[in-house]
Tab-separated table of all heavy atoms in Angstrom:
chain	number	residue	atom	x	y	z
A	1	MET	N	-6.083	-16.322	-4.965
A	1	MET	CA	-5.875	-15.015	-4.672
A	1	MET	C	-7.008	-14.264	-4.825
A	1	MET	O	-7.654	-13.956	-5.780
A	1	MET	CB	-4.539	-14.580	-5.562
A	1	MET	CG	-4.358	-13.100	-5.529
A	1	MET	SD	-3.038	-12.475	-6.362
A	1	MET	CE	-2.913	-13.176	-7.942
A	4	GLY	N	-5.609	-8.976	-5.548
A	4	GLY	CA	-4.295	-9.042	-6.249
A	4	GLY	C	-4.188	-8.211	-7.425
A	4	GLY	O	-5.187	-7.299	-7.614
A	5	ILE	N	-3.281	-8.328	-8.220
A	5	ILE	CA	-2.866	-7.511	-9.360
A	5	ILE	C	-2.853	-8.320	-10.550
A	5	ILE	O	-2.210	-9.292	-10.655
A	5	ILE	CB	-1.559	-6.827	-9.207
A	5	ILE	CG1	-1.688	-5.913	-7.871
A	5	ILE	CG2	-1.295	-5.879	-10.297
A	5	ILE	CD1	-0.259	-5.358	-7.466
A	37	SER	N	1.034	-14.464	3.978
A	37	SER	CA	2.497	-14.276	3.987
A	37	SER	C	3.127	-14.535	2.581
A	37	SER	O	3.764	-15.466	2.238
A	37	SER	CB	3.071	-15.289	4.938
A	37	SER	OG	4.417	-15.020	4.998
A	38	VAL	N	2.601	-13.601	1.614
A	38	VAL	CA	2.944	-13.632	0.249
A	38	VAL	C	3.420	-12.168	-0.150
A	38	VAL	O	3.275	-11.252	0.541
A	38	VAL	CB	1.746	-14.040	-0.557
A	38	VAL	CG1	1.383	-15.434	-0.366
A	38	VAL	CG2	0.632	-13.021	-0.457
A	39	ALA	N	4.106	-12.133	-1.399
A	39	ALA	CA	4.464	-10.928	-1.861
A	39	ALA	C	3.344	-10.091	-2.307
A	39	ALA	O	2.235	-10.485	-2.556
A	39	ALA	CB	5.512	-11.209	-2.934
A	40	GLY	N	3.532	-8.813	-2.383
A	40	GLY	CA	2.560	-7.849	-2.833
A	40	GLY	C	2.775	-6.411	-2.537
A	40	GLY	O	3.901	-6.028	-2.009
A	41	VAL	N	1.721	-5.614	-2.762
A	41	VAL	CA	1.842	-4.184	-2.400
A	41	VAL	C	0.820	-3.728	-1.382
A	41	VAL	O	-0.179	-4.533	-1.097
A	41	VAL	CB	1.548	-3.235	-3.695
A	41	VAL	CG1	2.516	-3.585	-4.805
A	41	VAL	CG2	0.186	-3.498	-4.257
A	61	THR	N	6.468	-5.599	-0.958
A	61	THR	CA	7.251	-6.598	-0.128
A	61	THR	C	7.458	-7.808	-0.996
A	61	THR	O	6.634	-8.422	-1.576
A	61	THR	CB	6.805	-6.694	1.181
A	61	THR	OG1	7.763	-7.738	1.898
A	61	THR	CG2	5.429	-7.394	1.074
A	62	ASP	N	8.727	-8.307	-1.005
A	62	ASP	CA	8.968	-9.691	-1.531
A	62	ASP	C	9.235	-10.615	-0.573
A	62	ASP	O	8.459	-11.371	0.090
A	62	ASP	CB	10.278	-9.670	-2.514
A	62	ASP	CG	9.921	-8.987	-3.775
A	62	ASP	OD1	8.965	-9.287	-4.506
A	62	ASP	OD2	10.819	-8.028	-4.164
A	99	ALA	N	-2.708	-5.985	-1.855
A	99	ALA	CA	-3.000	-6.689	-3.096
A	99	ALA	C	-1.802	-7.549	-3.464
A	99	ALA	O	-0.571	-7.106	-3.349
A	99	ALA	CB	-3.236	-5.736	-4.279
A	100	GLU	N	-2.120	-8.875	-3.606
A	100	GLU	CA	-1.004	-9.797	-3.769
A	100	GLU	C	-0.491	-9.800	-5.251
A	100	GLU	O	-1.217	-9.571	-6.130
A	100	GLU	CB	-1.568	-11.196	-3.497
A	100	GLU	CG	-2.145	-11.448	-2.168
A	100	GLU	CD	-2.816	-12.622	-1.898
A	100	GLU	OE1	-2.410	-13.713	-2.723
A	100	GLU	OE2	-3.573	-12.885	-1.035
A	101	THR	N	0.753	-10.075	-5.362
A	101	THR	CA	1.397	-10.386	-6.702
A	101	THR	C	2.751	-11.110	-6.408
A	101	THR	O	3.404	-10.659	-5.471
A	101	THR	CB	1.530	-9.205	-7.709
A	101	THR	OG1	2.185	-9.699	-8.880
A	101	THR	CG2	2.423	-8.195	-6.972
A	102	ASN	N	3.288	-12.012	-7.192
A	102	ASN	CA	4.514	-12.698	-7.032
A	102	ASN	C	5.489	-12.006	-8.072
A	102	ASN	O	6.702	-12.468	-7.827
A	102	ASN	CB	4.404	-14.050	-7.370
A	102	ASN	CG	3.660	-14.839	-6.281
A	102	ASN	OD1	3.697	-14.543	-5.170
A	102	ASN	ND2	2.815	-15.794	-6.595
A	103	SER	N	5.132	-11.018	-8.795
A	103	SER	CA	6.088	-10.471	-9.698
A	103	SER	C	6.715	-9.197	-9.209
A	103	SER	O	6.016	-8.237	-9.073
A	103	SER	CB	5.332	-10.119	-11.064
A	103	SER	OG	6.188	-9.547	-11.937
A	104	SER	N	7.972	-9.197	-9.091
A	104	SER	CA	8.684	-8.010	-8.749
A	104	SER	C	8.587	-6.846	-9.828
A	104	SER	O	8.554	-5.710	-9.459
A	104	SER	CB	10.232	-8.215	-8.387
A	104	SER	OG	10.845	-8.734	-9.408
A	105	LYS	N	8.503	-7.192	-10.974
A	105	LYS	CA	8.339	-6.303	-12.031
A	105	LYS	C	6.966	-5.646	-11.898
A	105	LYS	O	7.049	-4.401	-12.229
A	105	LYS	CB	8.590	-6.937	-13.426
A	105	LYS	CG	10.045	-7.218	-13.640
A	105	LYS	CD	10.347	-7.865	-15.000
A	105	LYS	CE	11.804	-8.247	-15.159
A	105	LYS	NZ	12.069	-8.838	-16.342
A	106	ILE	N	6.004	-6.302	-11.740
A	106	ILE	CA	4.610	-5.861	-11.679
A	106	ILE	C	4.664	-4.995	-10.409
A	106	ILE	O	4.054	-3.716	-10.519
A	106	ILE	CB	3.513	-6.911	-11.514
A	106	ILE	CG1	3.325	-7.610	-12.896
A	106	ILE	CG2	2.242	-6.401	-10.968
A	106	ILE	CD1	2.331	-8.767	-12.807
A	107	MET	N	5.289	-5.282	-9.287
A	107	MET	CA	5.220	-4.437	-8.185
A	107	MET	C	5.923	-3.113	-8.449
A	107	MET	O	5.429	-2.089	-7.981
A	107	MET	CB	5.884	-5.194	-6.919
A	107	MET	CG	5.014	-6.205	-6.176
A	107	MET	SD	5.739	-6.895	-4.665
A	107	MET	CE	6.725	-8.219	-5.414
Side-chain angles (χ1 to χ4, degrees):
M1 171 171 44
I5 302 170
S37 187
V38 297
V41 299
T61 181
D62 289 309
E100 302 172 24
T101 183
N102 290 323
S103 169
S104 60
K105 291 180 180 180
I106 288 175
M107 283 188 273

